[in-house]
Amino acid sequence: MIIIDYKDTRPIYEQVAEKFKTLILKGVLQPDEQMPSVRNLAMELSINPNTIQKAYSELEREGFIYTVKGRGNFVAGSDHLLTERKKSCLEQILKLVKEAMEYGIDKEEIIAQIQGIES
């Protein structure tokens, strides 16, 4: 489920948070589903529980999860998060298309490349 890349320059808590964001946005983790406990996940990944807690705090701050006192952490509804992520992706695509056009790549070539991507 979660694999830590020790060659990655990002801190471990950021990697953990990013993996959970992906799982939530792809629908692997459903709204109101309980997240793994901090202690269990830390043991499973062989990392400090404080690192997991920091990742969970980041996820909660960004609205991906919520905490129920005494019960644990749960996945928040992700519809608005998915909408925001799609909007962000489209903005990045537009930025790259504009840059490509500045370097002389025409619209038809960009469209051909996009159409060549397998779904």
Side-chain angles (χ1 to χ4, degrees):
M1 186 181 207
I2 303 287
I3 299 172
I4 303 300
D5 180 4
Y6 292 101
K7 293 179 183 175
D8 193 331
T9 58
R10 294 177 301 159
I12 292 173
Y13 83 92
E14 284 183 12
Q15 291 182 49
V16 171
E18 191 62 37
K19 303 273 188 197
F20 274 118
K21 288 177 193 177
T22 301
L23 292 172
I24 292 168
L25 291 173
K26 288 184 175 181
V28 175
L29 295 174
Q30 297 296 314
D32 300 320
E33 183 177 338
Q34 188 165 12
M35 299 283 289
S37 74
V38 170
R39 183 176 294 156
N40 288 342
L41 188 57
M43 285 178 29
E44 182 182 318
L45 298 176
S46 299
I47 58 178
N48 190 313
N50 291 334
T51 302
I52 302 298
Q53 186 57 52
K54 190 169 183 178
Y56 278 13
S57 295
E58 183 74 14
L59 290 167
E60 186 171 15
R61 185 183 64 77
E62 293 181 21
F64 284 89
I65 65 173
Y66 63 93
T67 302
V68 176
K69 194 167 179 99
R71 301 257 346 249
N73 297 294
F74 296 84
V75 177
S78 60
D79 290 342
H80 73 284
L81 297 170
L82 185 56
T83 302
E84 288 298 315
R85 185 59 64 110
K86 286 179 181 180
K87 181 179 173 185
S88 174
C89 284
L90 288 174
E91 288 171 357
Q92 290 175 8
I93 290 169
L94 288 175
K95 181 180 174 185
L96 286 172
V97 167
K98 287 178 185 177
E99 183 179 343
M101 293 176 106
E102 288 173 3
Y103 289 119
I105 300 172
D106 61 14
K107 183 170 52 172
E108 289 75 23
E109 189 175 350
I110 294 169
I111 291 170
Q113 289 294 318
I114 292 170
Q115 289 175 336
I117 297 173
E118 291 185 30
S119 300

